């Protein structure tokens, strides 16, 4: 049976693997003794490549949720050797993997399939166990006689989808099997045994780990496709029996299914961000067919409909969601943004105010409320919001641009020029930045804090813009 993987992820995998190959070649690692430091370097390089290629989800709510669960599991474990990092791969595949150095990855599709938090925690606990037991490091040590190009494929295959990734790199399934690229059943059994201990220690229900495998097995039966999780974590039937035995004998006390909470909202955020809004709409409608009063599904459907221009339907579902959850900051924010995008500022402002009262830390709420204030002529409140937003996001060039505009509207020309200068500096437009910094200077007396900031910015730009000494000397020889 052929295995299909999304083109975008395939290209990313290929790029990561090639970069990884170069990294391994440049480091000259001694595979016969793959040290803790080697693990950290390799894991960090792999993570950086995934991030650089845009393969990781950056939404703070999603990443924060997974990190919170991961660190809750780690709170009862000796964390010697590694600082763990938890990330989400932007792929509809159903998979999870761990890499050397304490890096754990979940696929977006896996989170969408999970029925409760204990199942996600069970997957994370299993992957943490692979790292703690140094399974990957041991596989690398045992691969010392394999050529470096093949070794790069071994590592990539173990991390990013087994046979599918090997195929992308030109390695056949037979070759992959011969080289034993996958975890052994002994590895999986040890990871399940340790993972069950890690899962139940903070109070999660141990059945979460078992139930996730059963869901994957059911998915396989109904879809006629092998979940990628089975490809990278073999021996599923044996694992189900082994976990069931542990639950019947050692972990008989039932724990809780949810500790951090809000899994449904996390799944909603992930489904909203699918590249195809039609797919998102179908997902939320399926949920609503079973649970007509599910506020998360109504909210997700409203946002997805809005993206397809189904304005009336979108607003109707926003109102249904709000009736069920009137103080929900996400629903209020996105309804307010919808009003804003339609130019309905008188409707946008009160809704965005409610969203801001519900969550004063959300940068999108602050930004859109500030813009809505500015569009209704309330420049002073808009300015105060953007000052707060700047404290949270000092490197955001767009915040500086909006501040420059607002200071201009309130006739504070010095501050306006200063923030325009910062904006153009971040855009790499040195001449425009210098123009605005010079224009700002007369508004701030020498010795003031702002005068010092402007001088510092100008010095840094003039230093960047100056040709190197040798260029200056060669230029002078022409005169």
């Amino acid at each position: 049976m052929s295995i299909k993987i999304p083109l975008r992820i395939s290209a990313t995998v290929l790029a990561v693997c090639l970069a990884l190959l170069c990294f391994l070649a440049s480091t000259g690692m001694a595979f016969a003794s793959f040290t803790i430091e080697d693990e950290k370097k390799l894991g960090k390089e792999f993570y950086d490549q995934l991030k650089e290629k845009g393969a990781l989800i950056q939404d703070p709510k999603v990443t924060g949720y997974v990190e919170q669960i991961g660190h809750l599991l780690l709170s009862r474990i000796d964390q010697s050797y590694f600082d763990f990092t938890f990330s989400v791969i932007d792929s509809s595949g159903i998979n999870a993997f761990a890499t050397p150095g304490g890096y754990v990855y979940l696929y977006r599709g896996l989170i969408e399939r999970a029925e409760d938090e204990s199942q996600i925690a069970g997957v994370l606990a299993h992957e943490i166990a692979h790292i703690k037991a140094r399974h990957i490091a041991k596989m690398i040590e045992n691969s010392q006689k394999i050529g470096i190009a093949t070794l790069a494929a071994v590592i990539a295959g173990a991390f990013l989808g087994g046979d599918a990734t090997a195929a992308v790199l030109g390695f056949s399934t037979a070759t992959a099997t011969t080289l034993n690229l996958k975890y052994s059943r002994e590895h999986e059994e040890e990871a399940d045994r340790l993972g069950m201990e890690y899962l139940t220690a903070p109070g999660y229900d141990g059945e979460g780990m078992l139930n996730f495998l059963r869901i994957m097995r059911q998915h396989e039966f109904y879809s006629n496709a092998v979940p990628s999780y089975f490809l990278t974590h073999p021996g599923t039937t044996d694992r189900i029996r082994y976990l069931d035995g542990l639950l019947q004998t050692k972990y008989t006390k039932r724990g809780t299914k949810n500790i951090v909470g809000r899994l449904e909202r996390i799944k909603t955020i992930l489904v909203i961000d699918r590249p195809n809004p039609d797919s998102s709409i179908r997902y939320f409608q399926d949920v609503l067919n079973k649970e007509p009063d599910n506020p998360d599904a109504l909210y997700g459907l409203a946002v997805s409909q809005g993206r397809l221009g189904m304005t009336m339907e979108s607003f109707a579902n926003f109102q249904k969601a709000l009736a069920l959850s009137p103080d929900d900051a996400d629903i209020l924010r996105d309804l307010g943004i919808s009003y804003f995008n339609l130019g309905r500022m008188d409707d946008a402002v009160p809704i965005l105010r409610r969203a801001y009262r519900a969550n004063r830390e959300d940068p999108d709420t602050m930004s859109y409320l500030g813009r809505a204030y500015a569009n209704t002529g309330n420049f002073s409140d808009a300015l105060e919001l953007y000052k707060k937003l700047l404290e949270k996001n000092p490197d955001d060039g767009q915040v500086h641009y909006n501040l420059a505009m607002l200071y201009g509207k309130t006739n504070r020309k010095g501050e306006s020029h200063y923030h325009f200068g910062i904006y153009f500096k971040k855009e790499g437009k040195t001449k425009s930045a210098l123009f605005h910094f010079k224009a700002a200077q007369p508004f701030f007396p020498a010795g003031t804090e702002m005068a010092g900031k402007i001088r510092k910015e100008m010095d840094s730009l003039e230093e960047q813009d100056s040709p190197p000494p040798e260029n200056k000397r060669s230029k002078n020889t022409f005169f």
Side-chain angles (χ1 to χ4, degrees):
M1 176 175 57
S2 63
I3 302 166
K4 295 181 180 179
I5 52 178
L7 180 60
R8 181 178 62 172
I9 295 299
S10 298
T12 300
V13 168
L14 181 57
V16 170
C17 293
L18 291 175
L20 183 59
L21 189 157
C22 295
F23 169 73
L24 289 169
S26 66
T27 57
M29 287 181 178
F31 300 116
S33 178
F34 194 64
T35 67
I36 295 295
E37 285 307 310
D38 290 337
E39 286 196 59
K40 290 179 179 178
K41 290 176 183 176
L42 182 55
K44 179 66 164 58
E45 176 72 10
F46 200 89
Y47 171 83
D48 289 344
Q49 289 294 328
L50 284 175
K51 187 174 182 180
E52 182 183 335
K53 301 300 179 184
L56 303 181
I57 287 176
Q58 299 297 326
D59 188 293
K61 287 189 175 70
V62 174
T63 56
Y65 175 76
V66 174
E67 287 170 356
Q68 198 169 348
I69 298 173
H71 288 294
L72 181 61
L73 297 170
L74 290 170
S75 66
R76 303 296 183 90
I77 305 171
D78 173 22
Q79 297 179 47
S80 56
Y81 302 135
F82 306 121
D83 295 322
F84 279 77
T85 301
F86 300 92
S87 304
V88 180
I89 298 282
D90 189 9
S91 168
S92 60
I94 305 171
N95 203 6
F97 60 90
T99 69
Y103 294 85
V104 179
Y105 301 88
L106 298 182
Y107 277 47
R108 167 171 54 82
L110 183 146
I111 298 175
E112 291 177 11
R113 288 281 176 180
E115 293 180 343
D116 60 60
E117 186 179 304
S118 70
Q119 294 175 8
I120 294 174
V123 173
L124 290 176
H126 181 90
E127 300 306 327
I128 290 170
H130 276 309
I131 293 172
K132 292 285 291 178
R134 300 193 71 222
H135 289 155
I136 304 162
K138 290 172 184 175
M139 284 194 291
I140 291 173
E141 288 176 349
N142 292 334
S143 301
Q144 57 184 300
K145 295 181 180 180
I146 300 173
I148 192 166
T150 304
L151 182 56
V154 171
I155 298 167
F159 301 160
L160 288 168
D163 297 340
T165 303
V168 171
L169 288 168
F171 288 87
S172 68
T173 303
T175 303
T177 304
T178 301
L179 296 177
N180 192 23
L181 303 185
K182 300 174 184 176
Y183 288 123
S184 68
R185 293 194 178 188
E186 290 76 14
H187 286 154
E188 291 298 276
E189 182 177 310
E190 184 177 19
D192 281 334
R193 182 173 65 255
L194 293 173
M196 185 65 75
E197 179 184 333
Y198 302 161
L199 177 64
T200 56
Y204 280 113
D205 192 337
E207 275 198 316
M209 189 180 292
L210 174 61
N211 288 338
F212 173 76
L213 288 179
R214 286 173 170 164
I215 289 172
M216 292 302 94
R217 180 63 79 196
Q218 187 179 38
H219 172 77
E220 180 184 18
F221 289 152
Y222 282 104
S223 69
N224 293 320
V226 179
S228 47
Y229 187 80
F230 287 174
L231 299 174
T232 53
H233 297 76
T236 307
T237 301
D238 289 342
R239 289 182 61 197
I240 288 174
R241 292 193 188 115
Y242 182 70
L243 287 170
D244 199 17
L246 286 176
L247 289 167
Q248 297 300 324
T249 57
K250 186 174 182 180
Y251 299 97
T252 55
K253 183 180 179 181
R254 295 278 77 86
T256 183
K257 293 184 181 298
N258 298 286
I259 297 178
V260 174
R262 292 176 65 82
L263 172 59
E264 286 304 312
R265 178 53 50 85
I266 299 304
K267 291 165 70 172
T268 297
I269 292 170
L270 291 173
V271 174
I272 285 173
D273 286 339
R274 285 179 179 178
N276 182 359
D278 286 320
S279 167
S280 304
I281 288 176
R282 287 193 298 271
Y283 174 93
F284 293 122
Q285 286 176 334
D286 286 345
V287 174
L288 290 168
N289 287 337
K290 302 171 187 173
E291 306 172 57
D293 293 331
N294 185 312
D296 286 288
L298 286 165
Y299 159 57
L301 182 59
V303 174
S304 302
Q305 288 171 329
R307 291 182 176 178
L308 287 177
M310 302 166 65
T311 306
M312 297 302 295
E313 297 91 334
S314 174
F315 282 129
N317 284 311
F318 267 126
Q319 294 301 338
K320 289 178 184 178
L322 273 184
L324 294 165
S325 188
D327 297 318
D328 191 302
D330 293 338
I331 299 173
L332 288 164
R333 178 201 63 222
D334 286 339
L335 175 57
I337 291 173
S338 296
Y339 282 133
F340 179 93
N341 289 335
L342 289 173
R344 295 170 57 176
M345 299 303 156
D346 290 340
D347 292 316
V349 168
I351 291 293
L352 288 168
R353 276 178 180 161
R354 286 174 61 188
Y356 183 55
R357 285 196 294 270
N359 181 4
R360 294 182 178 271
E361 302 298 319
D362 189 289
D364 288 334
T365 299
M366 297 172 72
S367 177
Y368 274 94
L369 180 55
R371 291 169 67 186
Y373 278 146
N375 276 294
T376 55
N378 185 352
F379 301 124
S380 59
D381 282 345
L383 195 57
E384 289 307 309
L385 267 177
Y386 268 97
K387 285 181 184 178
K388 293 177 182 177
L389 196 55
L390 183 64
E391 291 176 5
K392 299 177 182 299
N393 303 281
D395 295 323
D396 190 329
Q398 194 60 45
V399 173
H400 285 282
Y401 178 86
N402 287 331
L403 271 171
M405 295 292 291
L406 288 167
Y407 277 123
K409 295 284 187 182
T410 54
N411 203 33
R412 295 171 64 175
K413 295 181 180 179
E415 288 90 342
S416 179
H417 280 300
Y418 171 76
H419 285 285
F420 270 130
I422 297 292
Y423 168 74
F424 284 116
K425 177 185 176 182
K426 292 184 179 298
E427 290 289 301
K429 299 179 180 179
T430 303
K431 290 183 179 179
S432 296
L434 281 170
F435 167 81
H436 282 287
F437 286 135
K438 288 176 181 177
Q441 280 184 311
F443 294 94
F444 302 102
T448 61
E449 182 181 357
M450 278 299 293
K453 286 183 177 180
I454 294 168
R455 184 68 263 168
K456 184 177 179 180
E457 294 291 348
M458 290 179 67
D459 288 344
S460 69
L461 286 172
E462 287 168 350
E463 183 177 334
Q464 292 174 20
D465 205 35
S466 298
E470 58 269 26
N471 287 352
K472 288 182 179 180
R473 287 195 297 272
S474 61
K475 182 178 179 182
N476 289 339
T477 62
F478 288 95
F479 290 89

PDB file of all heavy atoms in Angstrom, residues 256-277:
ATOM      1  N   THR A 256      -8.080  11.495  36.307  1.00  0.00           N
ATOM      2  CA  THR A 256      -8.939  12.448  35.612  1.00  0.00           C
ATOM      3  C   THR A 256      -8.587  12.515  34.137  1.00  0.00           C
ATOM      4  O   THR A 256      -7.443  12.268  33.744  1.00  0.00           O
ATOM      5  CB  THR A 256      -8.817  13.852  36.240  1.00  0.00           C
ATOM      6  OG1 THR A 256      -9.709  14.750  35.596  1.00  0.00           O
ATOM      7  CG2 THR A 256      -7.395  14.399  36.107  1.00  0.00           C
ATOM      8  N   LYS A 257      -9.575  12.854  33.320  1.00  0.00           N
ATOM      9  CA  LYS A 257      -9.349  12.948  31.879  1.00  0.00           C
ATOM     10  C   LYS A 257      -8.834  14.323  31.473  1.00  0.00           C
ATOM     11  O   LYS A 257      -8.219  14.478  30.420  1.00  0.00           O
ATOM     12  CB  LYS A 257     -10.639  12.627  31.122  1.00  0.00           C
ATOM     13  CG  LYS A 257     -11.093  11.179  31.269  1.00  0.00           C
ATOM     14  CD  LYS A 257     -12.320  10.902  30.415  1.00  0.00           C
ATOM     15  CE  LYS A 257     -12.793   9.468  30.575  1.00  0.00           C
ATOM     16  NZ  LYS A 257     -11.777   8.484  30.145  1.00  0.00           N
ATOM     17  N   ASN A 258      -9.106  15.334  32.283  1.00  0.00           N
ATOM     18  CA  ASN A 258      -8.706  16.706  31.933  1.00  0.00           C
ATOM     19  C   ASN A 258      -8.179  17.423  33.164  1.00  0.00           C
ATOM     20  O   ASN A 258      -8.842  17.435  34.205  1.00  0.00           O
ATOM     21  CB  ASN A 258      -9.900  17.484  31.361  1.00  0.00           C
ATOM     22  CG  ASN A 258     -10.446  16.875  30.082  1.00  0.00           C
ATOM     23  OD1 ASN A 258      -9.840  16.977  29.032  1.00  0.00           O
ATOM     24  ND2 ASN A 258     -11.596  16.210  30.187  1.00  0.00           N
ATOM     25  N   ILE A 259      -7.000  18.000  33.048  1.00  0.00           N
ATOM     26  CA  ILE A 259      -6.412  18.802  34.129  1.00  0.00           C
ATOM     27  C   ILE A 259      -6.227  20.251  33.661  1.00  0.00           C
ATOM     28  O   ILE A 259      -6.708  21.187  34.294  1.00  0.00           O
ATOM     29  CB  ILE A 259      -5.069  18.211  34.603  1.00  0.00           C
ATOM     30  CG1 ILE A 259      -5.278  16.810  35.187  1.00  0.00           C
ATOM     31  CG2 ILE A 259      -4.417  19.132  35.640  1.00  0.00           C
ATOM     32  CD1 ILE A 259      -4.008  16.110  35.636  1.00  0.00           C
ATOM     33  N   VAL A 260      -5.539  20.429  32.551  1.00  0.00           N
ATOM     34  CA  VAL A 260      -5.335  21.781  32.006  1.00  0.00           C
ATOM     35  C   VAL A 260      -6.642  22.336  31.473  1.00  0.00           C
ATOM     36  O   VAL A 260      -6.998  23.489  31.710  1.00  0.00           O
ATOM     37  CB  VAL A 260      -4.266  21.758  30.893  1.00  0.00           C
ATOM     38  CG1 VAL A 260      -4.143  23.125  30.221  1.00  0.00           C
ATOM     39  CG2 VAL A 260      -2.931  21.319  31.464  1.00  0.00           C
ATOM     40  N   GLY A 261      -7.403  21.528  30.741  1.00  0.00           N
ATOM     41  CA  GLY A 261      -8.712  21.937  30.229  1.00  0.00           C
ATOM     42  C   GLY A 261      -8.649  22.655  28.892  1.00  0.00           C
ATOM     43  O   GLY A 261      -7.584  22.964  28.370  1.00  0.00           O
ATOM     44  N   ARG A 262      -9.843  22.882  28.304  1.00  0.00           N
ATOM     45  CA  ARG A 262     -10.042  23.648  27.071  1.00  0.00           C
ATOM     46  C   ARG A 262      -9.505  22.943  25.822  1.00  0.00           C
ATOM     47  O   ARG A 262      -9.113  23.579  24.855  1.00  0.00           O
ATOM     48  CB  ARG A 262      -9.433  25.055  27.195  1.00  0.00           C
ATOM     49  CG  ARG A 262     -10.180  25.934  28.184  1.00  0.00           C
ATOM     50  CD  ARG A 262      -9.519  27.281  28.366  1.00  0.00           C
ATOM     51  NE  ARG A 262      -9.551  28.078  27.157  1.00  0.00           N
ATOM     52  CZ  ARG A 262     -10.598  28.812  26.751  1.00  0.00           C
ATOM     53  NH1 ARG A 262     -11.723  28.793  27.422  1.00  0.00           N
ATOM     54  NH2 ARG A 262     -10.521  29.530  25.653  1.00  0.00           N
ATOM     55  N   LEU A 263      -9.521  21.618  25.821  1.00  0.00           N
ATOM     56  CA  LEU A 263      -9.105  20.902  24.620  1.00  0.00           C
ATOM     57  C   LEU A 263      -9.999  21.255  23.434  1.00  0.00           C
ATOM     58  O   LEU A 263      -9.506  21.413  22.312  1.00  0.00           O
ATOM     59  CB  LEU A 263      -9.128  19.385  24.870  1.00  0.00           C
ATOM     60  CG  LEU A 263      -8.904  18.499  23.632  1.00  0.00           C
ATOM     61  CD1 LEU A 263      -7.560  18.791  22.978  1.00  0.00           C
ATOM     62  CD2 LEU A 263      -9.005  17.022  23.999  1.00  0.00           C
ATOM     63  N   GLU A 264     -11.307  21.358  23.674  1.00  0.00           N
ATOM     64  CA  GLU A 264     -12.223  21.658  22.566  1.00  0.00           C
ATOM     65  C   GLU A 264     -11.881  22.991  21.918  1.00  0.00           C
ATOM     66  O   GLU A 264     -11.957  23.139  20.696  1.00  0.00           O
ATOM     67  CB  GLU A 264     -13.675  21.660  23.049  1.00  0.00           C
ATOM     68  CG  GLU A 264     -14.233  20.273  23.311  1.00  0.00           C
ATOM     69  CD  GLU A 264     -14.131  19.359  22.098  1.00  0.00           C
ATOM     70  OE1 GLU A 264     -14.516  19.781  20.998  1.00  0.00           O
ATOM     71  OE2 GLU A 264     -13.644  18.218  22.263  1.00  0.00           O
ATOM     72  N   ARG A 265     -11.469  23.970  22.713  1.00  0.00           N
ATOM     73  CA  ARG A 265     -11.106  25.270  22.137  1.00  0.00           C
ATOM     74  C   ARG A 265      -9.817  25.148  21.326  1.00  0.00           C
ATOM     75  O   ARG A 265      -9.683  25.765  20.262  1.00  0.00           O
ATOM     76  CB  ARG A 265     -10.969  26.324  23.242  1.00  0.00           C
ATOM     77  CG  ARG A 265     -10.535  27.718  22.760  1.00  0.00           C
ATOM     78  CD  ARG A 265     -11.414  28.292  21.623  1.00  0.00           C
ATOM     79  NE  ARG A 265     -12.811  28.223  21.893  1.00  0.00           N
ATOM     80  CZ  ARG A 265     -13.501  29.139  22.589  1.00  0.00           C
ATOM     81  NH1 ARG A 265     -12.883  30.201  23.071  1.00  0.00           N
ATOM     82  NH2 ARG A 265     -14.799  29.007  22.780  1.00  0.00           N
ATOM     83  N   ILE A 266      -8.868  24.379  21.819  1.00  0.00           N
ATOM     84  CA  ILE A 266      -7.618  24.170  21.084  1.00  0.00           C
ATOM     85  C   ILE A 266      -7.903  23.496  19.752  1.00  0.00           C
ATOM     86  O   ILE A 266      -7.373  23.890  18.700  1.00  0.00           O
ATOM     87  CB  ILE A 266      -6.624  23.342  21.920  1.00  0.00           C
ATOM     88  CG1 ILE A 266      -6.278  24.061  23.226  1.00  0.00           C
ATOM     89  CG2 ILE A 266      -5.362  23.053  21.114  1.00  0.00           C
ATOM     90  CD1 ILE A 266      -5.722  25.460  23.053  1.00  0.00           C
ATOM     91  N   LYS A 267      -8.749  22.463  19.761  1.00  0.00           N
ATOM     92  CA  LYS A 267      -9.117  21.792  18.524  1.00  0.00           C
ATOM     93  C   LYS A 267      -9.833  22.754  17.579  1.00  0.00           C
ATOM     94  O   LYS A 267      -9.611  22.733  16.357  1.00  0.00           O
ATOM     95  CB  LYS A 267     -10.003  20.572  18.826  1.00  0.00           C
ATOM     96  CG  LYS A 267      -9.250  19.448  19.521  1.00  0.00           C
ATOM     97  CD  LYS A 267     -10.162  18.410  20.134  1.00  0.00           C
ATOM     98  CE  LYS A 267     -10.868  17.578  19.098  1.00  0.00           C
ATOM     99  NZ  LYS A 267     -11.604  16.437  19.728  1.00  0.00           N
ATOM    100  N   THR A 268     -10.667  23.614  18.133  1.00  0.00           N
ATOM    101  CA  THR A 268     -11.381  24.606  17.313  1.00  0.00           C
ATOM    102  C   THR A 268     -10.398  25.545  16.622  1.00  0.00           C
ATOM    103  O   THR A 268     -10.528  25.829  15.423  1.00  0.00           O
ATOM    104  CB  THR A 268     -12.359  25.412  18.186  1.00  0.00           C
ATOM    105  OG1 THR A 268     -13.340  24.525  18.727  1.00  0.00           O
ATOM    106  CG2 THR A 268     -13.051  26.504  17.378  1.00  0.00           C
ATOM    107  N   ILE A 269      -9.402  26.019  17.357  1.00  0.00           N
ATOM    108  CA  ILE A 269      -8.391  26.910  16.780  1.00  0.00           C
ATOM    109  C   ILE A 269      -7.653  26.213  15.646  1.00  0.00           C
ATOM    110  O   ILE A 269      -7.428  26.793  14.577  1.00  0.00           O
ATOM    111  CB  ILE A 269      -7.393  27.369  17.869  1.00  0.00           C
ATOM    112  CG1 ILE A 269      -8.105  28.280  18.882  1.00  0.00           C
ATOM    113  CG2 ILE A 269      -6.191  28.092  17.252  1.00  0.00           C
ATOM    114  CD1 ILE A 269      -7.273  28.574  20.119  1.00  0.00           C
ATOM    115  N   LEU A 270      -7.288  24.955  15.858  1.00  0.00           N
ATOM    116  CA  LEU A 270      -6.562  24.202  14.832  1.00  0.00           C
ATOM    117  C   LEU A 270      -7.418  23.989  13.583  1.00  0.00           C
ATOM    118  O   LEU A 270      -6.933  24.130  12.455  1.00  0.00           O
ATOM    119  CB  LEU A 270      -6.111  22.859  15.395  1.00  0.00           C
ATOM    120  CG  LEU A 270      -5.016  22.902  16.468  1.00  0.00           C
ATOM    121  CD1 LEU A 270      -4.800  21.517  17.060  1.00  0.00           C
ATOM    122  CD2 LEU A 270      -3.716  23.437  15.896  1.00  0.00           C
ATOM    123  N   VAL A 271      -8.689  23.654  13.770  1.00  0.00           N
ATOM    124  CA  VAL A 271      -9.564  23.400  12.623  1.00  0.00           C
ATOM    125  C   VAL A 271      -9.851  24.698  11.871  1.00  0.00           C
ATOM    126  O   VAL A 271      -9.889  24.719  10.633  1.00  0.00           O
ATOM    127  CB  VAL A 271     -10.871  22.719  13.076  1.00  0.00           C
ATOM    128  CG1 VAL A 271     -11.845  22.581  11.902  1.00  0.00           C
ATOM    129  CG2 VAL A 271     -10.582  21.339  13.667  1.00  0.00           C
ATOM    130  N   ILE A 272     -10.027  25.798  12.586  1.00  0.00           N
ATOM    131  CA  ILE A 272     -10.234  27.096  11.940  1.00  0.00           C
ATOM    132  C   ILE A 272      -9.075  27.426  11.011  1.00  0.00           C
ATOM    133  O   ILE A 272      -9.256  27.972   9.918  1.00  0.00           O
ATOM    134  CB  ILE A 272     -10.402  28.209  13.002  1.00  0.00           C
ATOM    135  CG1 ILE A 272     -11.789  28.135  13.651  1.00  0.00           C
ATOM    136  CG2 ILE A 272     -10.193  29.600  12.382  1.00  0.00           C
ATOM    137  CD1 ILE A 272     -11.969  29.087  14.816  1.00  0.00           C
ATOM    138  N   ASP A 273      -7.876  27.066  11.435  1.00  0.00           N
ATOM    139  CA  ASP A 273      -6.673  27.409  10.671  1.00  0.00           C
ATOM    140  C   ASP A 273      -6.353  26.423   9.554  1.00  0.00           C
ATOM    141  O   ASP A 273      -5.312  26.546   8.909  1.00  0.00           O
ATOM    142  CB  ASP A 273      -5.468  27.523  11.616  1.00  0.00           C
ATOM    143  CG  ASP A 273      -5.510  28.786  12.456  1.00  0.00           C
ATOM    144  OD1 ASP A 273      -6.212  29.734  12.046  1.00  0.00           O
ATOM    145  OD2 ASP A 273      -4.861  28.827  13.504  1.00  0.00           O
ATOM    146  N   ARG A 274      -7.216  25.462   9.309  1.00  0.00           N
ATOM    147  CA  ARG A 274      -6.996  24.588   8.157  1.00  0.00           C
ATOM    148  C   ARG A 274      -6.972  25.424   6.875  1.00  0.00           C
ATOM    149  O   ARG A 274      -7.687  26.436   6.775  1.00  0.00           O
ATOM    150  CB  ARG A 274      -8.122  23.556   8.052  1.00  0.00           C
ATOM    151  CG  ARG A 274      -8.056  22.430   9.067  1.00  0.00           C
ATOM    152  CD  ARG A 274      -9.235  21.481   8.875  1.00  0.00           C
ATOM    153  NE  ARG A 274      -9.203  20.360   9.805  1.00  0.00           N
ATOM    154  CZ  ARG A 274     -10.137  19.417   9.868  1.00  0.00           C
ATOM    155  NH1 ARG A 274     -11.180  19.466   9.039  1.00  0.00           N
ATOM    156  NH2 ARG A 274     -10.037  18.431  10.741  1.00  0.00           N
ATOM    157  N   PRO A 275      -6.156  25.024   5.904  1.00  0.00           N
ATOM    158  CA  PRO A 275      -6.055  25.828   4.677  1.00  0.00           C
ATOM    159  C   PRO A 275      -7.342  25.871   3.866  1.00  0.00           C
ATOM    160  O   PRO A 275      -7.540  26.800   3.071  1.00  0.00           O
ATOM    161  CB  PRO A 275      -4.930  25.130   3.886  1.00  0.00           C
ATOM    162  CG  PRO A 275      -4.819  23.760   4.478  1.00  0.00           C
ATOM    163  CD  PRO A 275      -5.223  23.883   5.909  1.00  0.00           C
ATOM    164  N   ASN A 276      -8.237  24.910   4.053  1.00  0.00           N
ATOM    165  CA  ASN A 276      -9.486  24.853   3.292  1.00  0.00           C
ATOM    166  C   ASN A 276     -10.667  25.127   4.224  1.00  0.00           C
ATOM    167  O   ASN A 276     -11.054  24.263   5.013  1.00  0.00           O
ATOM    168  CB  ASN A 276      -9.629  23.469   2.636  1.00  0.00           C
ATOM    169  CG  ASN A 276     -10.887  23.360   1.794  1.00  0.00           C
ATOM    170  OD1 ASN A 276     -11.672  24.299   1.711  1.00  0.00           O
ATOM    171  ND2 ASN A 276     -11.075  22.209   1.179  1.00  0.00           N
ATOM    172  N   PRO A 277     -11.307  26.327   4.137  1.00  0.00           N
ATOM    173  CA  PRO A 277     -12.434  26.634   5.025  1.00  0.00           C
ATOM    174  C   PRO A 277     -13.607  25.676   4.862  1.00  0.00           C
ATOM    175  O   PRO A 277     -14.344  25.439   5.815  1.00  0.00           O
ATOM    176  CB  PRO A 277     -12.816  28.062   4.613  1.00  0.00           C
ATOM    177  CG  PRO A 277     -11.603  28.626   3.963  1.00  0.00           C
ATOM    178  CD  PRO A 277     -10.934  27.473   3.288  1.00  0.00           C
TER     179      PRO A 277
END
